[in-house]
Amino acid sequence: MIPDIHIVFDCADPDRLARFWMVALPGYDFPHGPPDGFTTWQEWADANQIPEQQRNAGRTLVDKQGHRPDIFFLRVPEGKPDPTERV
């Protein structure tokens, strides 16, 4: 049974963070590769004239066995506050 829960991370670089967790959590991977006729998503984005600032807005990881929740990584504009900074 697939859990009815999803995990979402807000981050500055969804692709980089997703790739980190893909290594840290064996069995997770991207849901699928680029469309037929393209060797990379970058190549697909170039062919479809997707502006650079709209790329890497989000990534998804799925458990290839289907037993653990999907993990979503979404780019957000704001940074994290510095916990050592005094208000």
Side-chain angles (χ1 to χ4, degrees):
M1 174 194 263
I2 298 174
D4 193 20
I5 187 170
H6 302 287
I7 299 168
V8 180
F9 286 93
D10 288 349
C11 57
D13 188 342
D15 188 64
R16 183 176 178 189
L17 194 57
R19 290 180 187 282
F20 168 83
W21 283 108
M22 191 167 45
V23 171
L25 299 171
Y28 273 93
D29 202 348
F30 295 115
H32 51 80
D36 289 341
F38 299 96
T39 56
T40 66
W41 281 104
Q42 182 73 25
E43 186 180 300
W44 175 86
D46 289 343
N48 286 280
Q49 301 176 348
I50 307 294
E52 285 287 331
Q53 66 272 20
Q54 292 181 5
R55 300 179 192 190
N56 193 27
R59 295 290 183 269
T60 301
L61 293 179
V62 296
D63 176 19
K64 290 300 187 173
Q65 299 298 315
H67 302 295
R68 298 178 288 177
D70 295 340
I71 306 174
F72 299 94
F73 303 87
L74 303 175
R75 185 177 61 210
V76 293
E78 67 275 359
K80 293 176 81 174
D82 182 347
T84 62
E85 190 176 293
R86 296 185 84 112
V87 178

